[in-house]
């Protein structure tokens, strides 16, 4: 099988591999049904996916990776060897399937050599290889072995990932051969900049010397490659079998080939053969048509002193092709075929990226020899490394702290009651700032003064470019005047580009060298005649060949999803109010504050002042300014989670089976990566930690703005701007009252003065005015009579002294009492309601106020207590609803396409306070609300198997459950619980466990246990067993702090289950399943204490019972769980082959349950077992697979994704790859800001990152800070479970591993297992 010839580039080879894989997949699928192997087809698809992931990450398509590796020939050669071998193996597999390769059936030798040229260890084996079966069909056997070989090659490519993302430019690292080698370059710099610091002058001179040597090397390599190409053409013409010569030095070859390549024998074997050269090339015979500094032989060149006449301003070279020819060309500096270049500015930037003219101009730089090819990168380095300092800012106290530890100490001391430890952790990350940049006014080279840092940067960049151009341009040229070459930044964005060129992409370039030489001649001729370069075009974004394809999986998903979303998008639940009045100044200020992306603004004021209404009005007025406007109910975590679900649904990010954490993370990542302009509105914020948890990482660099409403003035301090919202004065209040009453001319209305009095009586509070207007409008009462009612109510409430109290409204307003005034308003507004309407508004007071679906209220209700809401008499519900709407006691909103009723929080609170005075009535209404929610709340699996298909409905109803829980605790007299309420809380807690929400689930389950303790009914013990079981399962994710309690709860649950089953007079499969679930749970807790000897017989007993029930095809969940935990037991025992096989079985059967999250948990543990067995390469590859899957399923800040990210870094550390390990550890700590990651895991990552920084002599202050944080956690948590076997352990890494649970990445290192066996 043959393919189109390759030009030898990585991009071309990858495209050939893609074509080959397509043909292979088709060939497998075209096999006859009786011989088609579905497993092989799936394996082929998996390998295509792995290769595609690698290519997307590194930018293999389009030539980006080729360009990135232009100064890393050894790494480039490695990738080319792997891709060539991959293409050959795929081609061989295709030929095998088509019968073009014949193998002697008597040959028992393995078709795949044990040692391959790609550099894998001889004992490395594929995790796909099945050693237990040897097929008789030789074609099938060869295909299987080919796929195993392909898997190994893909694994090798993935292992190179981090090196390819940030390659070390080995080719450009040229050591100064002697102290005097660069003396002329240094002298040139000192003569040009006599006032420069000697350290900087030496740095610039050495950089120029190294730059010249690198260009000389590239030219020599290109000439050698050209000669070899000519020789190859001659060989092809004469039909010789001779092979081409290798380059003299593989290490320095720009486009070499490996000396040992994999080949396929006539018998079908894949083996390695040495490639020998039959002739060599005499480089000295190669000559060029021009003489330049870069055209010299490959020797180290010491330039003579530079004549002063050449120290003038040097031009930037033009593209070496005819501008009108519309042709691609090869760069005469890096010798790469260039992609689309439309303007001279693009070419200029490319030349600068080749020359890398910029270096740090600070004398104390830790990377003084680092060169930058992109001006923005150099500017960012100097800004971040030298001009900025990290600080942590406490907004309410207006203080800055130089370290994170000091900031956290301040938070605990100054704000002890506001935040939990996890919230302090989240807030610490969001409050990190950069100090004000240190400004410089004088150029460090020429000491010229500048008024702004930007002007200085432009000048300094230009000076360094001139030094680099002196090296690059041909010698002996006539230099244009200084004004002839202008930086592209000298043009404004509105100016027309003077000249543009378009160069088409050309995949296979021929004759590049000749074209380049001719154009350089033309360039010399042009300069000899004194022609100057045209002005460069305006500053533009980086050209395509400098922009790597986006690596994060989520950003790629974002582009695909956005193509299917119809923008603009909004999740607003509140319609625009037809009675909104005033607040024009406030709305203008909000618009001003949020005009620039990355800012936050708070609307702050007392309840009922109109904060929500103002935010709603701003949202509707700003629809043209934003692509997306998202509304979030922020008073509870569940409300925020439900709002995130609505956002994710509207953007098409979810399909309904994602858990709560996944939905939040998917939403955050979309907000972080999208280029769409978005607005988040957090309504009624009570805890800043809730907001910080839902904001995207680095939201200040996103395209979004944040608006929030809050009553707490302290919360507004965390925002960039705060807008206090005041009540209306008498004129404004009277006008809005009359408008609500549909008085068309409020300014001349005869009741204007009475309206002013009423407005003053309610303190100008908008919510009070609205409800007064609703009462007046519905009852048709005269305003004078309404005023009299108020006066009488004031006397009754003790606010006024006598009935003749006729103080002016302004005086009454100054004595305004918020609670008492609202109480009067609600009393008036609720009077004369029908009994049905009163019952309904009372029920609504116990539910989530944001949106209660009418379909939940008006349904079939056989209970006598709810018969007034029965849908079989819907006219009754319609009448009570219209009564409440007309009085403005409720509003109608849309949520998820359904009509809902919404009540004001102040009204809800007042009703509950009123009902608390009548405990009997309060309990009756409370249980009416419980019954309504319980009827629609999904029932969890009776055998505690997660049900992702129900999570979406759970999430919608959870805010109501939490509202009922809050009402249960806050009453003056504790409401009597019920079995239905306990079951509702337990079901909600189990759902939170299924979705991985540990803190919320524990809150609900502990409340359920609290209520249950006060009740006695049949079945209470079984509910208690459910509660104990799920709480213990949640403890599995919380580290060492709850291990003992988890074991105790599981043992109690098992006792309850066994006693119940023993009492049964009939066989009940469900109860038996729950009993054996409890047995298996106890074994898990035993493993948490490393008591694997006790866990083994329990697991064996469970397995025997599962076999009685049926095969794994019928019970994949139970078998999968058993295989997983037994694999851990075998790992403890050192029986690694059995452990790995059991782990693979676990992954297989859990894959049948469609629970991808749980399957990846077990695959993660399988990788840990493989690591303990010593197969480090396979362990790393498996961890990478799990990491990719978790990124797709849960996002980068999910706690499980963080475990995978850490595990990859830990393996790199164990292998001595400290730079790669540091990258992964930093990524882990950076991404954990929004995840509820246990503190044990955070401390372990901090310890290892500190250790890595110390080993590499990097950032000692940061290392010390990380170690201090980790040490504090270790000292606090280790005593909770400190077994004797670890008391004398000196390796702190072992102790940090011990802090983690067996379920949460305990065995990502190889030190702990030997101590706990």
């Amino acid at each position: 099988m043959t393919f189109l010839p390759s030009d030898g580039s990585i991009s071309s080879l990858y495209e050939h591999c893609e074509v080959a894989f397509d043909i292979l997949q088709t060939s497998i699928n075209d096999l006859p049904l009786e011989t088609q192997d579905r497993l092989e087809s799936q394996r082929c698809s998996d390998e295509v996916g792995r290769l595609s992931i690698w290519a997307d990450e590194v930018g293999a398509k389009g030539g980006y990776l080729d360009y990135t590796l232009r100064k890393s020939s050894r790494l480039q050669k490695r990738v080319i060897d792997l891709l060539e071998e991959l293409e050959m193996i795929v081609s061989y597999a295709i030929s095998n399937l088509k019968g073009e390769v014949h193998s002697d059936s008597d040959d028992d030798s393995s078709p795949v050599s044990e040692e391959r040229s790609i550099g894998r260890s001889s004992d490395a084996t594929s995790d796909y290889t099945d050693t237990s079966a040897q097929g008789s069909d030789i074609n099938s056997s060869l295909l299987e072995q080919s796929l195993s070989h392909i898997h190994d090659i893909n694994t090798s490519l993935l292992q190179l990932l981090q090196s390819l993302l940030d390659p070390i430019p080995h080719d450009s690292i040229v050591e100064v051969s002697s102290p005097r080698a660069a003396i002329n370059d240094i002298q040139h710099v000192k003569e040009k900049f006599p006032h420069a610091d000697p350290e900087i002058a030496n740095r610039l001179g050495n950089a120029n010397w190294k730059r010249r040597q690198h260009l000389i090397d590239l030219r020599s390599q290109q000439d050698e490659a050209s000669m070899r190409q000519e020789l190859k053409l001659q060989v092809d013409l004469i039909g010789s079998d001779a092979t081409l010569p290798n380059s003299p030095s593989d290490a320095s070859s720009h486009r070499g080939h490996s000396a040992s390549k994999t080949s396929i024998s006539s018998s079908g074997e894949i083996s390695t053969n040495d490639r020998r050269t039959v002739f060599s090339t005499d480089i000295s015979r190669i000559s060029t048509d021009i003489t330049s500094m870069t055209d010299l032989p490959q020797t180290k060149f010491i330039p003579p002193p530079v004549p002063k006449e050449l120290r003038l301003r040097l031009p930037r070279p033009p593209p070496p092709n005819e501008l009108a020819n519309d042709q691609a060309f090869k760069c005469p500096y890096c010798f790469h075929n260039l992609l689309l270049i439309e303007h001279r500015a693009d070419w200029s930037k490319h030349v600068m990226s080749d020359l890398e003219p910029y270096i740090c101009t600070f004398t104390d730089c830790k990377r003084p020899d680092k060169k930058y090819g992109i001006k923005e990168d150099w500017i960012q380095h100097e800004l971040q490394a030298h001009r900025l300092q990290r600080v942590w800012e406490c907004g309410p106290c207006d203080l800055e702290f130089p370290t994170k530890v000091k900031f956290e100490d301040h938070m605990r001391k100054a704000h002890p009651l506001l935040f939990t430890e996890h919230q302090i952790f989240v807030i610490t990350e969001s409050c990190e700032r950069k100090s004000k940049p240190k400004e410089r006014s004088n150029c460090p080279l020429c000491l010229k003064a500048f008024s702004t840092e930007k002007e200085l940067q432009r000048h300094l960049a230009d000076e360094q470019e001139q030094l680099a151009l002196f090296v690059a341009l041909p010698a002996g040229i006539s230099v244009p005047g200084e004004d002839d070459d202008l930086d592209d930044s000298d043009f404004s964005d509105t100016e027309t580009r003077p000249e543009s060129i378009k160069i088409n992409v050309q995949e296979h370039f021929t004759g590049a060298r000749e074209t380049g030489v001719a154009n350089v001649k033309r360039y010399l001729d042009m300069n000899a005649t004194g022609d100057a370069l045209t002005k460069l075009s305006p500053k533009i974004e980086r050209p395509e060949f400098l922009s790597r394809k986006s690596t994060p999986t989520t950003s790629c998903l974002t582009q695909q999803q956005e193509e299917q979303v119809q923008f603009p998008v909004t999740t607003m639940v509140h319609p625009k109010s037809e009675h909104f009045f005033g607040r024009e100044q406030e709305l203008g200020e909000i618009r001003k504050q949020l005009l620039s992306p990355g800012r936050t603004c708070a609307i702050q004021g007392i309840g009922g002042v109109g904060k929500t209404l103002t935010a709603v009005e701003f949202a509707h007025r700003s629809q043209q300014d934003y692509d997306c406007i998202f509304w979030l109910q922020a008073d509870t975590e569940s409300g925020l989670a439900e709002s995130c679900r609505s956002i994710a649904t509207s953007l098409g990010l979810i399909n309904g089976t994602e858990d709560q954490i996944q939905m939040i993370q998917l939403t955050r990542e979309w907000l972080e990566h999208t280029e769409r302009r978005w607005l988040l509105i957090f309504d009624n914020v009570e805890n800043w930690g809730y907001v910080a948890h839902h904001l995207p990482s680095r939201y200040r660099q996103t395209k979004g703005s944040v608006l929030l409403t809050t009553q707490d003035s302290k919360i507004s301090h965390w925002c960039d701007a705060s807008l206090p919202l005041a009540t209306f004065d008498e004129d404004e209040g009277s006008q809005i009252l009359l408008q609500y009453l549909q008085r068309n001319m409020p300014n001349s209305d005869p009741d204007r003065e009475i309206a002013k009095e009423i407005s003053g009586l309610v303190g100008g509070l908008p919510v009070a005015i609205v409800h007064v207007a609703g009462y007046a409008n519905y009852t048709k009462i005269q305003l004078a009579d309404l005023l009299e009612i108020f006066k009488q109510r004031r006397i009754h409430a003790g606010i006024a002294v006598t009935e003749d109290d006729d103080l002016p409204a302004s005086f009454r307003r100054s004595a305004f009492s918020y609670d008492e005034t609202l109480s009067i308003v609600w009393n008036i507004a609720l009077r004369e309601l029908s009994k049905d309407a009163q019952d309904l508004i009372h029920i609504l007071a116990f539910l989530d106020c944001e949106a209660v679906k009418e379909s939940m209220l008006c349904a079939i209700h056989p209970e006598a207590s709810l018969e007034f809401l029965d849908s079989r008499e819907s006219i009754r519900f319609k009448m009570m609803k219209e009564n409440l709407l007309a009085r403005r006691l409720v509003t109608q909103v849309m949520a998820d396409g359904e009509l809902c009723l919404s009540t004001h929080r102040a009204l809800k609170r007042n009703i509950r306070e009123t009902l608390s005075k009548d405990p009997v009535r309060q309990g009756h209404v409370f249980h009416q609300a419980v019954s309504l929610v319980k009827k629609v709340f999904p029932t969890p699996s009776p055998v505690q198997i997660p049900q992702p298909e129900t999570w979406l409905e759970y999430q919608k109803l959870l805010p109501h459950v939490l509202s009922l829980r809050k009402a249960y605790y806050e009453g003056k007299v504790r409401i009597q619980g019920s079995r239905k309420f306990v079951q509702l809380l337990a079901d909600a807690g189990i759902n939170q466990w299924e979705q991985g929400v540990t803190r919320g689930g524990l809150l609900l389950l502990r409340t359920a246990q609290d209520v249950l303790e006060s009740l006695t009914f049949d079945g209470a013990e079984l509910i208690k067993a459910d509660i104990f079981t799920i709480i213990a399962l949640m403890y599995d994710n919380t580290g060492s702090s709850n291990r003992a309690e988890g074991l105790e709860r599981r043992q109690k649950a098992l006792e309850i289950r066994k006693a119940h089953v023993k009492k049964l007079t009939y066989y009940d499969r469900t109860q038996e399943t729950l009993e054996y679930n409890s047995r298996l749970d106890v074994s898990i807790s035993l493993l948490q204490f490393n008591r694997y000897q006790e866990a083994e017989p329990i697991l064996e007993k469970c397995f025997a019972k599962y076999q009685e029930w049926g095969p794994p095809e019928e019970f994949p969940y139970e078998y999968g769980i058993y295989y997983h935990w037994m694999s851990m037991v075998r790992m403890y025992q050192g029986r690694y082959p059995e452990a790995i096989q059991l782990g693979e079985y676990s992954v297989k059967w859990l894959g049948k349950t469609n629970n991808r999250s749980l399957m990846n948990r077990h695959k993660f543990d399988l990788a840990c077992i493989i690591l303990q067995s010593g197969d480090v390469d396979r362990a790393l590859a498996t961890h990478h697979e799990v990491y990719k899957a978790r990124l797709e399923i849960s996002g980068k800040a999910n706690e499980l994704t963080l475990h995978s990210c850490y595990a990859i870094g830990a393996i790199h550390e164990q292998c001595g790859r400290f730079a790669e390990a540091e990258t992964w550890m930093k990524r882990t700590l950076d991404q954990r800001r929004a995840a509820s990651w246990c503190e044990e895991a955070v401390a372990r990552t901090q310890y290892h990152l500190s250790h890595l920084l110390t080993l590499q002599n990097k950032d000692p202050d940061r290392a010390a800070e990380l170690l201090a944080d980790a040490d504090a956690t270790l000292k606090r948590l280790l005593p909770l479970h400190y077994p004797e076997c670890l008391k004398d352990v000196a390796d702190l890494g072992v102790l940090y591993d011990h802090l983690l649970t067996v379920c949460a990445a305990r065995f990502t290192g190889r030190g702990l297992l030997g101590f706990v066996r």
Side-chain angles (χ1 to χ4, degrees), residues 13-155:
L13 285 170
Y14 173 73
E15 290 171 4
H16 284 218
C17 289
E18 278 192 315
V19 173
F21 266 121
D22 288 342
I23 297 173
L24 177 60
Q25 187 74 62
T26 303
S27 300
I28 295 175
N29 295 336
D30 288 345
L31 290 173
L33 292 176
E34 61 271 14
T35 61
Q36 191 177 110
D37 193 329
R38 295 182 180 274
L39 178 59
E40 305 301 347
S41 178
Q42 181 60 46
R43 287 175 60 186
C44 182
S45 298
D46 291 345
E47 295 309 321
V48 172
R50 297 177 76 216
L51 182 64
S52 177
I53 289 173
W54 172 83
D56 288 343
E57 288 281 349
V58 301
K61 297 181 181 178
Y64 174 81
L65 185 57
D66 289 286
Y67 187 78
T68 301
L69 300 180
R70 69 194 186 281
K71 297 183 181 180
S72 306
S73 59
R74 283 178 286 178
L75 192 56
Q76 183 184 54
K77 177 176 177 292
R78 171 77 165 151
V79 175
I80 289 174
D81 286 347
L82 288 171
L83 290 177
E84 285 178 343
E85 186 172 8
L86 180 62
E87 182 186 2
M88 185 188 65
I89 296 299
V90 176
S91 303
Y92 168 69
I94 295 169
S95 299
N96 171 47
L97 289 177
K98 294 191 174 185
E100 298 174 7
V101 174
H102 302 284
S103 178
D104 188 348
S105 60
D106 295 332
D107 185 4
D108 296 329
S109 62
S110 172
V112 182
S113 69
E114 290 298 325
E115 294 186 13
R116 303 185 178 105
S117 61
I118 58 174
R120 293 178 297 278
S121 61
S122 60
D123 60 342
T125 58
S126 168
D127 58 348
Y128 282 121
T129 303
D130 184 1
T131 59
S132 64
Q134 196 74 13
S136 60
D137 187 346
I138 188 64
N139 287 346
S140 175
S141 176
L142 290 175
L143 175 61
E144 179 183 355
Q145 293 166 13
S146 296
L147 288 173
S148 297
H149 195 174
I150 290 169
H151 178 81
D152 288 347
I153 295 173
N154 279 341
T155 299

Side-chain angles (χ1 to χ4, degrees), residues 1198-1215:
N1198 179 270
E1199 60 180 322
L1200 299 177
T1201 309
L1202 295 179
H1203 282 318
S1204 288
C1205 194
Y1206 166 81
I1208 294 171
I1211 291 180
H1212 282 301
E1213 181 183 4
Q1214 295 164 37
C1215 295

Side-chain angles (χ1 to χ4, degrees), residues 254-267:
H254 182 66
R255 185 76 76 203
H257 295 277
S258 63
S260 176
K261 299 292 292 184
T262 301
S263 63
I264 304 170
S265 68
S266 60
S267 63

